[in-house]
Structure formats: structure tokens, C-alpha cells
Amino acid sequence: MAGRPLVSADFAGRLDHPLLSLLLAALLALWLLLRPEPIQALPMAWRLPLILVGAWALGTAFVRPMALEVGEGGLSRLAGAGLSRWTLWGFASVIVCLEAWR
């Protein structure tokens, strides 16, 4: 298996773990499919950037395990970038805050 394994011994405390990011992205996607009201309540000036950032963050989280397995090209660099992992966690935090505020 080329690249990093999906599950490793040093799992605790790492936000950049591929399996954890994949699970977070799946839960966020499912939550937003079932309850899109927090995003719909925002004005369009806030909603559109949030949707674009969320689509990028969720997309890179879903692609990351495959990109790490292949390990070549721009897709691997994009999915492995620290910014994409932190953006996913930031997007999740914004969605949770919107849901709590609503």
C-alpha cells in the first residue's frame, strides 16, 4: 500500500487523519442534506461563499484517501494540503454554530 495508511497507531489528537476527515465530511454532507435550513437562513452574500468553501472542503476530504494512495500529481498536493484539512474543520465549526444559533 503506497502512501499513508488510513488507520495508524498515532491516531489520537490528529486532525489531519484521512479516515477522521472522511468520516467528518460524510457526516457533514448527510447533515446538510437532511437539514439545510441553517445555510438557507443566511443572506446570499454569506451563503454563496460558505457553499463554495464547503464544497471544496468536503470534496478534498472525500478525495484525500484516494489521492494519498496514488500519491502523484496535483490532486495529491491539493488533497494533502494542510489548508484543506483545516478548512474542513472550520466549515464544520461554522455549520455547528449556525445550527446552535438557529
Side-chain angles (χ1 to χ4, degrees), residues 36-79:
E37 294 90 10
I39 292 180
Q40 289 176 346
L42 293 173
M44 186 58 82
W46 288 95
R47 190 181 334 163
L48 186 61
L50 188 62
I51 289 171
L52 293 175
V53 167
W56 177 67
L58 292 174
T60 56
F62 283 123
V63 169
R64 186 164 184 250
M66 180 189 66
L68 290 176
E69 181 72 26
V70 174
E72 295 178 4
L75 182 61
S76 178
R77 282 192 304 273
L78 178 65

Side-chain angles (χ1 to χ4, degrees), residues 4 6-20 89:
R4 285 179 29 184
L6 287 178
V7 179
S8 65
D10 60 344
F11 175 77
R14 295 192 56 192
L15 297 180
D16 64 338
H17 196 272
L19 183 59
L20 185 61
W89 286 95

Side-chain angles (χ1 to χ4, degrees), residues 22-35:
L22 186 62
L23 290 174
L24 178 65
L27 287 173
L28 269 174
L30 185 61
W31 186 4
L32 289 173
L33 282 173
L34 295 175
R35 296 190 47 94

